[in-house]
Amino acid sequence: MLVEVQRVWKRYDDITAVRNVSLTIGRGELLGLIGPNGAGKTSLMKMIATLAKPDRGRVKIMGRDARLPMGPIRRRLGYMPAEFGKMPEMTVVEYLSYFGAAAGVPRRERQRRIGDVLELVDLVERSDSLVGSGSTGIKQRILIAKTLVHDPELLILDEPAAGLDPRARIEIREVLKELNSLGKTIVVSSHILADLEEICDHVAIMEKGQLVTHGSIANLTEELRGAAQRVGWILRVELERRDQAYELLAALPELGNLSRDEGAIRFETAKRDANHVLAAMLKNSITVLEFKEEGPRLEDVFMRRTLGAVT
């Protein structure tokens, strides 16, 4: 395992930020860290980044105990905080060169890597601009470039999509997918569950300092599907008959959470009752264009796992 977190605790004065958390992260994994504000995500990420030490428990990064001097290991890590801080009066190239030098990247190698990361995050044309002059999305991409300039194996990214518009979120998401495809191990926190669901293979959910669940998204959603009394469904019919179809479904007592948007009608019901929907459409000569089960989403897993989490 690239990262091993073993029963760690972290307190700040009278607040317990992380309580008895154990977690492993495999090489090449893209792990989404999820939880509400105050759940302990940032504190856990700082311990994984070796920027904070646990009060109790142990963190091992690349096989080395984080209680030992971590200079060599830190050169193989990249940490991006959630806050920008004050951006210095430097151009993008100067900024990246500064952090590359601090990480021990030789001058000739540094120039090549700066060019590579600027191309990766699509900032080549802004290389001579001041780092503080861009939009929130530009600044986020600069911070990602800074995190990458020394070519780390492990990336720890705290809310990289915070405050971004939809286009910038998509761009950041594509960068993370590309980095993971290159073999980088990534730990990323976000409140935007749909983004994490698209890019992550594993998630860890925190609530009140505790890890309430951890595993692959596929396994967690399948467990929820198996435990559910009802499952979600999507029905699509011809546009001119959609209102009639909705009224027919509203009259079926076994359906719940009925809703509609521009393209579909959604509802929940037990699998054994799904045939009643098709029977109602057939009886009224309504052509069914699509009828399929809608599996649980990461949002459903989050809500089910965090409601009633133990303090």
Side-chain angles (χ1 to χ4, degrees):
M1 287 294 170
L2 197 69
V3 176
E4 297 177 69
V5 177
Q6 302 169 354
R7 304 181 69 84
V8 297
W9 293 71
K10 186 65 180 178
R11 288 180 60 85
Y12 299 98
D13 297 324
D14 59 344
I15 298 174
T16 302
V18 178
R19 55 180 75 214
N20 200 28
V21 168
S22 295
L23 175 70
T24 59
I25 304 170
R27 190 176 297 275
E29 193 171 306
L30 205 171
L31 173 74
L33 189 58
I34 303 170
N37 291 332
K41 304 186 301 298
T42 294
S43 294
L44 179 60
M45 296 180 91
K46 284 183 175 179
M47 287 188 280
I48 294 173
T50 75
L51 299 176
K53 294 185 182 298
D55 299 320
R56 292 158 54 187
R58 179 178 298 182
V59 177
K60 295 178 71 176
I61 310 296
M62 303 175 192
R64 186 175 179 86
D65 193 322
R67 294 174 295 185
L68 300 173
M70 295 298 288
I73 296 297
R74 283 181 178 166
R75 293 190 181 96
R76 299 162 67 186
L77 306 178
Y79 174 68
M80 175 180 166
E83 302 292 335
F84 291 133
K86 181 174 175 56
M87 304 294 271
E89 292 293 315
M90 304 170 76
T91 67
V92 173
V93 166
E94 291 170 339
Y95 185 69
L96 298 181
S97 183
Y98 171 82
F99 281 99
V105 181
R107 183 184 297 272
R108 290 182 180 178
E109 179 71 8
R110 206 182 311 155
Q111 293 176 345
R112 182 187 65 79
R113 290 191 185 178
I114 289 171
D116 289 344
V117 297
L118 287 176
E119 186 173 351
L120 178 67
V121 300
D122 195 22
L123 286 176
V124 173
E125 294 182 357
R126 297 190 64 90
S127 59
D128 294 323
S129 301
L130 293 177
V131 293
S133 65
S135 65
T136 299
I138 294 294
K139 290 177 182 176
Q140 291 287 60
R141 282 190 277 161
I142 291 171
L143 287 181
I144 291 178
K146 180 266 292 185
T147 305
L148 293 171
V149 73
H150 59 296
D151 195 24
E153 298 174 42
L154 172 62
L155 302 175
I156 302 111
L157 310 176
D158 196 357
E159 296 284 350
L164 301 186
D165 60 46
R167 180 183 295 276
R169 276 175 45 205
I170 292 170
E171 291 171 351
I172 295 295
R173 202 166 62 209
E174 292 304 311
V175 168
L176 296 185
K177 287 163 69 173
E178 175 67 16
L179 290 169
N180 188 235
S181 73
L182 295 173
K184 305 293 185 186
T185 303
I186 303 174
V187 181
V188 55
S189 69
S190 179
H191 290 105
I192 307 169
L193 301 189
D195 285 356
L196 293 184
E197 187 170 29
E198 179 168 331
I199 65 174
C200 294
D201 42 40
H202 288 73
V203 292
I205 300 177
M206 295 188 70
E207 172 80 1
K208 299 178 181 178
Q210 293 179 295
L211 184 68
V212 296
T213 193
H214 168 228
S216 73
I217 293 178
N219 288 344
L220 292 174
T221 53
E222 188 58 34
E223 287 175 12
L224 187 58
R225 184 198 305 269
Q229 296 296 317
R230 292 183 170 190
V231 295
W233 299 86
I234 296 176
L235 174 70
R236 299 182 193 274
V237 300
E238 296 170 306
L239 179 62
E240 60 271 18
R241 306 294 299 276
R242 193 176 60 223
D243 289 343
Q244 182 186 1
Y246 183 86
E247 292 173 2
L248 290 169
L249 296 185
L252 296 177
E254 60 270 27
L255 269 59
N257 290 331
L258 184 64
S259 66
R260 55 184 166 182
D261 54 32
E262 292 183 0
I265 301 172
R266 289 178 165 82
F267 58 91
E268 292 180 355
T269 190
K271 285 190 176 183
R272 64 178 180 273
D273 294 325
N275 61 332
H276 296 174
V277 173
L278 292 176
M281 299 301 106
L282 181 62
K283 182 178 179 180
N284 290 273
S285 301
I286 297 175
T287 301
V288 174
L289 303 177
E290 182 180 29
F291 183 50
K292 67 178 182 179
E293 183 179 342
E294 186 176 34
R297 305 295 302 272
L298 183 55
E299 179 179 310
D300 301 315
V301 174
F302 173 75
M303 293 302 296
R304 178 67 63 89
R305 295 286 185 164
T306 56
L307 286 175
V310 180
T311 59

